[in-house]
Amino acid sequence: MRVSKSFIPTLKEIPQEAEIPSHQLMLRAGLMRKVASGIYEYLPLAHRSLIKIMNIIRQEMEMVGAQEVLLPILTPAELWLKTGRWQKYGKELMRVQDRHSRDFALGPTHEEVITDLVQSELKSYKQLPLNLFQIATKFRDEVRPRFGVMRSREFIMKDGYSFDVDEIEAEKTYWKMVEAYKRIFKRCGLFCSPVEADSGLIGGNFSHEFMVMAETGEAAVAFCKSCDYSANLETAKSIPTVSLINEIRPACKVPTPNYKSVSEVSNFLKVSANQIIKTLIYVTEGDPIAVIIRGDHEVNETKLQNYLKVFELKLASHEEVEKITHMPMGFVGPVGLKDIRIIGDLVLKEGHGYIAGGAEPDVHWTYLEIGRDFPTPEWADIRNVVTGEACVGCSQPLNVGRGIEVGQTFKLGKRYSTPMHCVFLSKSGVEEEVTMGCYGIGVSRTLAAAIEQHYDEFGICWPIAIAPYQIHLLLLSPNDAEAVRLAEMIYDQCVEKKIEVLYDDRLEASVGFKFKDADLIGLPISVRIGSKSVKEGIVEIKIRRNPQVMKVPIAQFFENLIDLLQEEWKRCEP
RNA sequence: CGGGGCGUAGCGCAGCGGUAGCGCACCUGGUUUGGGACCAGGGGGCCGUGAGUUCAAAUCUCACCGCCCCGACCA
């Protein structure tokens, strides 16, 4: 492609709307433009990259025997009513009506649609296993779209669904898919690993998220450098450091005038926060509940929600707290708490001599013993793992970092086949429900994540496998006939050799302009041709991610180029 | 939905009661071409929308809309 004929609107300045590097660079390098909040247009460069990601996915899916289909975006409400998700999915499900006032949803995911399809055709165990996938646009009416295509309302997703005769076969399929996913992300040039995950709204009992570790990631991940344990903070476990700090003494009240928060109380009493019990009140769709947790720990609401099996969970407001506990805000504690279910974080179990709210203004209890001074709560793991705690796999210290979730795999079991009556006749002639799995990849998010992982101060540094073009050919002296002749020759030969080349043949752009654009667009290899190099009989080649410029005699140019391309490809091998 | 910020030329911004500006980009002509060139000329705006206050509103008031950030939320 000649730049003079291309649609690549690069920007010199950082658009004010963009916060994170990938978002800024996607706008600046002319990859995309915004139409509305969370809705983007993909321009030619981005489209070429997306196609490459999709093709890698297609190849790997084919390798594990999955077949591609294309499902509708507009889906009738009745399908969603069958599984209860018409209600449960909430406002994120984009609902529309047709001219007859019939309800539809723009598909955010397609379990219902695919299960309905398979249900209508599945008769015998002989048709199983079955593995179907599609690559299509999805809609989610996100509360807050963010970070460009990282969290957009309309996005491209690969979603796959597997159907097996039983749990054992389904699990085999699941692990096959996990392996395929690892290959896909590696082939896209991403450093990405599966982490244990919460299975959320989609249901099921087993899940992994594929995380690209990045500062700007929205998910918190606990991981171990010594063994391969890693998990989303929503499910992560650790061996906590237990605080057997204090001697056992009779409980006594101490004045804490106007000291309410954990940090205020610990400063005032000169104790560390891990001796304090924090009491939090949550409201749910049922009764309110109380949570007690060590002062230096945080409640993980996903864990709590899963333990309680509730849909709604919200920290109570100050007014609600006082009404529910009959204690003043800031001095709520487990002693004297009545008529409320109390969940205690497991870490508290072994400790002694705790400090907690005194149930009346300006007072805290000290030397509290669980079970002696207040009833033993229901124990559950409801807290966030903290950096430095011991790994459950190998006892080495855990790290907590941030990640971008580019894919997720779920074992669904019969979550969808039961309500949608997706059954088959088994070998023994008995009707059985099919066992399902589901597997997603955010294709547009993968593109953004790849940039988030491969950029520098000048622009993008594409992995070759998903780069819009492989070579950026820069004609630096468009008025030098010899340079033009050489550049045109190299361009023609690249086209002939099927080397994807973007040729900056612009007459009007200055040298600096071309260099800046090339750095910004970030194709893996640039080839520079100007009067200077032509006179010396050489061509300059630069690998985007390296600072040095190589000088290659014209006669050996293609030989060298092909070697360099191969080296780049090696970086994307699974 | 709660909190904060911003809407003025394609992009980045200034102006904050009295003729709508700057830099970059764009168009024409010329000179240039190894890290976002130079000279000369030129085009482009309902100052987000609507009400109000005022002799006079981009500027003050109110409402609405849009966008961004933090939080809540999130296959």
Side-chain angles (χ1 to χ4, degrees):
Chain A
M1 172 54 95
R2 287 171 188 270
V3 172
S4 62
K5 307 224 171 356
S6 71
F7 185 50
I8 307 172
T10 57
L11 300 172
K12 188 170 167 180
E13 314 218 33
I14 300 169
Q16 162 247 330
E17 68 187 56
E19 190 80 1
I20 64 168
S22 61
H23 187 191
Q24 294 177 347
L25 289 169
M26 286 181 80
L27 292 169
R28 287 192 57 210
L31 266 61
M32 67 173 190
R33 287 293 182 264
K34 185 177 68 181
V35 184
S37 178
I39 303 191
Y40 291 89
E41 296 151 333
Y42 297 103
L43 277 41
L45 287 184
H47 188 247
R48 291 183 65 95
S49 286
L50 288 170
I51 296 274
K52 290 188 178 187
I53 296 171
M54 292 184 213
N55 284 339
I56 289 169
I57 294 172
R58 289 193 172 104
Q59 286 167 13
E60 293 296 331
M61 286 298 100
E62 201 163 307
M63 295 278 282
V64 293
Q67 301 171 73
E68 188 166 5
V69 294
L70 187 55
L71 304 171
I73 288 166
L74 200 60
T75 60
E78 57 193 55
L79 289 179
W80 297 88
L81 286 163
K82 276 187 194 165
T83 58
R85 287 210 292 184
W86 184 257
Q87 291 85 3
K88 276 184 211 162
Y89 215 107
K91 285 189 178 165
E92 236 187 300
L93 186 65
M94 186 89 172
R95 293 155 219 253
V96 290
Q97 288 195 330
D98 69 7
R99 62 167 73 197
H100 306 293
S101 307
R102 284 187 287 240
D103 289 317
F104 287 82
L106 299 181
T109 173
H110 280 72
E111 287 80 6
E112 281 81 357
V113 179
I114 198 92
T115 310
D116 181 64
L117 170 67
V118 170
Q119 174 272 133
S120 68
E121 302 306 324
L122 182 62
K123 272 126 190 140
S124 158
Y125 72 94
K126 291 175 192 164
Q127 292 166 281
L128 298 175
L130 183 60
N131 197 338
L132 301 172
F133 76 100
Q134 66 164 343
I135 299 175
T137 297
K138 295 275 186 276
F139 293 86
R140 283 183 201 177
D141 198 1
E142 291 284 349
V143 201
R144 182 146 89 86
R146 238 189 296 213
F147 303 146
V149 294
M150 212 55 104
R151 177 166 299 279
S152 52
R153 291 194 290 175
E154 185 183 304
F155 57 100
I156 303 167
M157 173 164 140
K158 171 265 167 181
D159 49 325
Y161 308 89
S162 66
F163 302 83
D164 281 284
V165 289
D166 58 26
E167 197 61 34
I168 293 166
E169 290 304 309
E171 190 156 335
K172 282 188 202 159
T173 304
Y174 182 89
W175 289 111
K176 222 158 65 175
M177 293 298 283
V178 167
E179 287 309 308
Y181 269 38
K182 285 188 193 166
R183 290 176 56 89
I184 288 168
F185 293 117
K186 187 78 220 316
R187 285 187 60 191
C188 289
L190 282 169
F191 305 105
C192 173
S193 52
V195 311
E196 290 174 21
D198 177 53
S199 52
L201 242 194
I202 248 188
N205 48 17
F206 201 85
S207 177
H208 287 86
E209 284 166 339
F210 287 75
M211 291 286 186
V212 171
M213 299 309 290
E215 292 279 313
T216 51
E218 293 186 80
V221 182
F223 61 97
C224 178
K225 283 181 181 163
S226 309
C227 69
D228 59 0
Y229 179 74
S230 58
N232 190 309
L233 216 59
E234 293 174 352
T235 54
K237 291 180 178 54
S238 66
I239 306 165
T241 42
V242 176
S243 45
L244 292 156
I245 328 125
N246 266 333
E247 53 190 305
I248 300 175
R249 282 208 222 165
C252 80
K253 278 187 177 179
V254 296
T256 48
N258 214 24
Y259 295 107
K260 298 177 179 181
S261 69
V262 169
S263 59
E264 286 167 357
V265 173
S266 68
N267 282 335
F268 177 68
L269 297 177
K270 307 226 168 3
V271 295
S272 63
N274 61 13
Q275 292 183 54
I276 297 176
I277 292 179
K278 190 157 63 172
T279 309
L280 302 164
I281 308 296
Y282 282 89
V283 290
T284 70
E285 72 262 25
D287 293 326
I289 60 120
V291 167
I292 59 173
I293 188 165
R294 220 168 75 183
D296 57 333
H297 286 159
E298 281 174 18
V299 173
N300 183 305
E301 295 189 359
T302 305
K303 284 185 178 179
L304 182 58
Q305 201 166 1
N306 286 340
Y307 173 75
L308 295 169
K309 298 193 168 47
V310 296
F311 284 112
E312 277 169 46
L313 184 75
K314 233 175 77 182
L315 212 48
S317 68
H318 289 198
E319 296 74 38
E320 285 170 319
V321 168
E322 300 195 346
K323 199 173 151 217
I324 292 163
T325 62
H326 310 289
M327 296 178 187
M329 189 68 197
F331 302 95
V332 176
V335 183
L337 251 192
K338 283 195 207 76
D339 305 322
I340 188 165
R341 186 172 165 196
I342 304 175
I343 318 294
D345 182 67
L346 267 172
V347 174
L348 289 176
K349 202 171 172 180
E350 307 298 331
H352 297 277
Y354 289 115
I355 295 162
E360 53 185 287
D362 304 331
V363 171
H364 274 75
W365 280 105
T366 57
Y367 294 104
L368 288 177
E369 291 298 317
I370 299 168
R372 183 190 73 181
D373 301 312
F374 60 92
T376 306
E378 289 175 45
W379 296 115
D381 172 19
I382 51 166
R383 73 190 179 94
N384 280 336
V385 165
V386 181
T387 300
E389 289 175 350
C391 169
V392 287
C394 67
S395 304
Q396 292 304 112
L398 283 173
N399 294 288
V400 176
R402 303 203 68 81
I404 300 164
E405 180 203 337
V406 288
Q408 188 164 12
T409 51
F410 299 85
K411 262 175 68 184
L412 290 178
K414 293 171 180 174
R415 165 73 180 83
Y416 296 91
S417 40
T418 303
M420 303 200 63
H421 198 61
C422 188
V423 298
F424 61 95
L425 276 186
S426 73
K427 218 168 186 169
S428 49
V430 182
E431 188 180 90
E432 284 182 27
E433 285 162 347
V434 74
T435 303
M436 290 175 58
C438 114
Y439 317 90
I441 294 177
V443 178
S444 32
R445 187 185 280 183
T446 297
L447 184 75
I451 294 170
E452 205 62 42
Q453 219 169 49
H454 301 283
Y455 74 93
D456 63 17
E457 59 186 304
F458 305 110
I460 302 170
C461 306
W462 288 106
I464 197 165
I466 62 169
Y469 294 89
Q470 296 162 356
I471 307 291
H472 208 142
L473 176 60
L474 306 180
L475 172 58
L476 302 178
S477 316
N479 295 326
D480 180 324
E482 199 45 33
V484 173
R485 203 189 54 76
L486 181 60
E488 291 286 334
M489 190 270 285
I490 288 177
Y491 176 64
D492 290 343
Q493 290 212 28
C494 280
V495 172
E496 202 175 297
K497 292 179 200 290
K498 307 261 187 264
I499 297 170
E500 297 173 4
V501 56
L502 184 66
Y503 173 29
D504 198 340
D505 60 338
R506 288 175 293 183
L507 296 174
E508 70 288 356
S510 68
V511 173
F513 207 99
K514 290 181 177 180
F515 280 141
K516 292 287 184 193
D517 260 3
D519 288 341
L520 183 58
I521 292 168
L523 301 180
I525 295 176
S526 64
V527 175
R528 294 114 184 259
I529 294 168
S531 332
K532 237 168 73 181
S533 54
V534 169
K535 277 197 200 90
E536 292 174 47
I538 54 116
V539 173
E540 289 165 22
I541 304 181
K542 183 173 174 300
I543 307 291
R544 175 64 181 85
R545 64 194 155 73
N546 295 336
Q548 319 82 4
V549 177
M550 291 172 272
K551 296 188 172 185
V552 176
I554 293 170
Q556 288 156 38
F557 169 70
F558 273 104
E559 204 180 315
N560 275 275
L561 180 67
I562 286 164
D563 286 348
L564 291 170
L565 284 169
Q566 271 169 1
E567 271 175 50
E568 290 302 300
W569 276 105
K570 276 193 195 132
R571 302 171 66 85
C572 298
E573 275 172 17

